[in-house]
Amino acid sequence: MRSTRDRIASIVVDLGYGDSGKGGVTDYLCGVGEDSLVIRFNGGSQAAHGVTEPGGRRHVFAQFGSGMLRPGVRTLLSKHMLVSPLAMLSEERCLRENGVKDAFHRTDISEDALIISPFQRAANRLREIARGGSRHGSCGHGVGETASDALRHPDEALRAAHLSASDLPRRLRRIQERKRAEAADAIAACRNLKRSHAEIACLEDASVPERWVERLGAFLADARIRSEDDVHALVRAHGHLVFEGAQGVLLDEWRGFHPYTTWSTCTFDNALSLLDGYGWDGDIIKIGVIRGYATRHGAGPFPTGNAMMTRLLPDADNVMNDWQKGFRVGWLDLVAIRYAIAACGGIDALAVTCLDRLKPIRTWDVCDAYETPTGTIRDLSLGPRQDLAHQESLTSLLASAKPKYRMTTDREDFDHKAIEHALAVNSLLGEPAEGLLISTGPTRADKTVIF
């Protein structure tokens, strides 16, 4: 996993549905170089990347990079990041209370990063509530609504550079008016639902833009918003880059199982395009992260989901909530992971996390194939990019797929059991990775490179 060259860019991507342990892997990688810069390259404030230090200090990162508990590590929110300023203020307060007093000082934000307005957040939530039993599994942060708006109305997209402009209130009023009109059907459907009142008021109250601008003052006092020239200079000043992905490849906007997807590119593509733009001349290591078992938070297909495992392996960071509902657990789905690796164009290293959580279970299994109405399959077809009809066909296939399991290990010694399971997983995946990192606990001290 270590390169002999001086300049290394490690790209961390979740090969599942999210929640695979990207935060802990990012924190571990930040110890590889003395001048690490964490670059967030997709998603937004809906991220929840938990990092626990050996001494017990813990923070769940949303918008700051997951290496920020280490002194000296910096964060760059790239132009592909969607930023929620008030949520970032709240996270900074949590970090300050946790002993990190200089989070904003060590964080730079690209002036081209999209800003999530309160009106996009409100419209997102109202649409999801109006879907009733057909929810898509949104986190309710407005990320998808903001990304969609930027594509449909690029001239009106709110970006970090606009936050200090004199015409910000006018821009916000325009967004509010448009979102109110676009969400008219959802507003009508949710008007009598108590839980929708705050979101409807946000879209209908003419004073909200000015009040939001007023609250924004505290963010602008501390946030470091940078031009692209400044961003390039920052990258050139660092020899070790850690690109921290959000969500997971199986939720990717074009490669995920439509319509249960996110408005975000979750593969390596954004990071690779940024490196190309930066003129990066060092090594690039593409790291795919999975848990030692499968999880899914939110609606959508999950062939290996298992009620017994869900009871046995609760997750303190992923509890029932109003937006994603329950957290589901099952055995690792290698068919889906093979597909994710193919969608990413391959990986250089595989990180297998959360193996310690499997301790209560004697034998460890994986799903290596599906039984389907048309026969047994081990691989999902990778269709043309941006072909949502193909992605919907995969969703239908997964809905009828019956997992076929095989045991990877039943050793009693946990350390050997964890290694044997990780090696077996890499082998059954077709040995896509030259490097293998395993995590047998929550801290960086529990991470081991075994080859």
Side-chain angles (χ1 to χ4, degrees):
M1 301 251 325
R2 290 294 301 270
S3 169
T4 57
R5 295 183 61 174
D6 291 336
R7 294 168 64 78
I8 307 171
S10 303
I11 311 176
V12 178
V13 157
D14 189 315
L15 296 176
Y17 297 101
D19 302 301
S20 289
K22 297 180 292 295
V25 172
T26 296
D27 172 71
Y28 172 81
L29 291 171
C30 284
V32 172
E34 295 180 356
D35 59 343
S36 296
L37 172 67
V38 178
I39 302 177
R40 301 292 299 273
F41 65 92
N42 75 309
S45 58
Q46 84 279 46
H49 299 173
V51 174
T52 303
E53 292 191 309
R57 183 168 64 159
R58 178 171 173 76
H59 180 75
V60 178
F61 288 90
Q63 297 185 87
F64 292 94
S66 292
M68 293 286 281
L69 292 183
R70 292 178 180 266
V73 171
R74 299 189 65 85
T75 292
L76 169 62
L77 303 187
S78 76
K79 63 183 179 181
H80 295 299
M81 183 75 172
L82 289 85
V83 178
S84 178
L86 301 189
M88 198 168 179
L89 274 175
S90 178
E91 183 180 0
E92 190 274 340
R93 284 193 294 270
C94 291
L95 282 167
R96 187 175 293 276
E97 292 168 0
N98 214 357
V100 181
K101 308 295 186 183
D102 58 350
F104 269 127
H105 180 72
R106 289 193 277 136
T107 298
D108 295 274
I109 304 171
S110 167
E111 65 179 4
D112 291 329
L114 285 169
I115 299 298
I116 302 171
S117 77
F119 315 113
Q120 288 152 327
R121 181 175 181 267
N124 166 211
R125 292 185 167 204
L126 288 170
R127 291 187 206 278
E128 188 74 340
I129 293 169
R131 291 184 182 114
S134 300
R135 287 187 172 197
H136 291 176
S138 170
C139 294
H141 285 246
V143 172
E145 201 79 28
T146 304
S148 174
D149 280 356
L151 291 174
R152 293 183 292 115
H153 309 282
D155 293 340
E156 297 180 11
L158 186 63
R159 298 188 183 275
H162 298 139
L163 294 181
S164 57
S166 60
D167 67 344
L168 179 59
R170 180 191 62 78
R171 286 179 176 273
L172 289 168
R173 284 193 293 271
R174 176 63 185 136
I175 294 172
Q176 183 188 40
E177 292 165 1
R178 178 162 45 78
K179 299 317 295 181
R180 182 169 64 244
E182 291 175 356
D185 289 345
I187 291 172
C190 299
R191 178 73 69 179
N192 296 323
L193 299 178
K194 184 177 181 181
R195 61 177 305 201
S196 303
H197 290 176
E199 318 306 336
I200 294 173
C202 178
L203 293 176
E204 295 183 341
D205 186 342
S207 70
V208 173
E210 284 73 17
R211 288 192 283 118
W212 193 76
V213 170
E214 184 178 349
R215 295 181 65 192
L216 190 66
F219 175 81
L220 292 174
D222 292 322
R224 299 157 60 98
I225 297 173
R226 302 302 192 196
S227 69
E228 277 302 291
D229 286 344
D230 289 339
V231 166
H232 285 219
L234 176 69
V235 172
R236 287 194 298 270
H238 288 78
H240 184 225
L241 310 181
V242 182
F243 285 82
E244 180 181 0
Q247 302 158 294
V249 175
L250 300 181
L251 298 174
D252 183 83
E253 58 186 332
W254 297 116
R255 293 304 190 183
F257 305 128
H258 190 72
Y260 305 101
T261 55
T262 182
W263 281 77
S264 179
T265 297
C266 302
T267 63
F268 298 111
D269 289 356
N270 282 353
L272 292 172
S273 70
L274 288 170
L275 284 168
D276 186 57
Y278 298 150
W280 181 254
D281 60 355
D283 283 350
I284 299 173
I285 303 173
K286 298 188 293 183
I287 304 168
V289 185
I290 58 176
R291 289 198 190 203
Y293 55 99
T295 66
R296 178 156 197 171
H297 205 168
F302 189 48
T304 64
N306 182 295
M308 182 186 72
M309 288 189 68
T310 299
R311 290 193 299 271
L312 284 174
L313 302 174
D315 193 304
D317 289 332
N318 290 283
V319 297
M320 171 72 76
N321 65 62
D322 287 342
W323 299 106
Q324 294 172 290
K325 300 299 182 182
F327 187 67
R328 293 175 283 168
V329 176
W331 285 117
L332 194 60
D333 185 343
L334 300 187
V335 182
I337 299 303
R338 288 190 199 101
Y339 170 81
I341 292 172
C344 284
I347 59 175
D348 301 312
L350 180 70
V352 185
T353 71
C354 300
L355 290 167
D356 53 305
R357 303 199 183 172
L358 287 172
K359 281 184 179 181
I361 301 175
R362 170 62 190 269
T363 60
W364 296 359
D365 298 339
V366 295
C367 164
D368 193 36
Y370 298 150
E371 285 291 353
T372 74
T374 57
T376 302
I377 63 170
R378 297 184 73 251
D379 297 283
L380 298 174
S381 62
L382 191 67
R385 186 171 171 78
Q386 300 188 9
D387 184 347
L388 294 184
H390 176 76
Q391 299 310 117
E392 286 182 346
S393 73
L394 293 181
T395 303
S396 297
L397 174 65
L398 291 177
S400 61
K402 304 297 182 185
K404 296 185 68 175
Y405 294 108
R406 60 190 299 170
M407 184 176 65
T408 62
T409 179
D410 65 348
R411 283 178 176 264
E412 292 189 10
D413 177 75
F414 173 71
D415 290 336
H416 287 94
K417 192 173 189 174
I419 293 172
E420 188 170 87
H421 181 68
L423 288 170
V425 166
N426 192 47
S427 176
L428 292 168
L429 288 173
E431 298 190 343
E434 296 180 2
L436 187 60
L437 182 152
I438 66 170
S439 177
T440 55
T443 78
R444 64 186 71 120
D446 303 310
K447 311 289 188 286
T448 307
V449 176
I450 61 175
F451 69 84

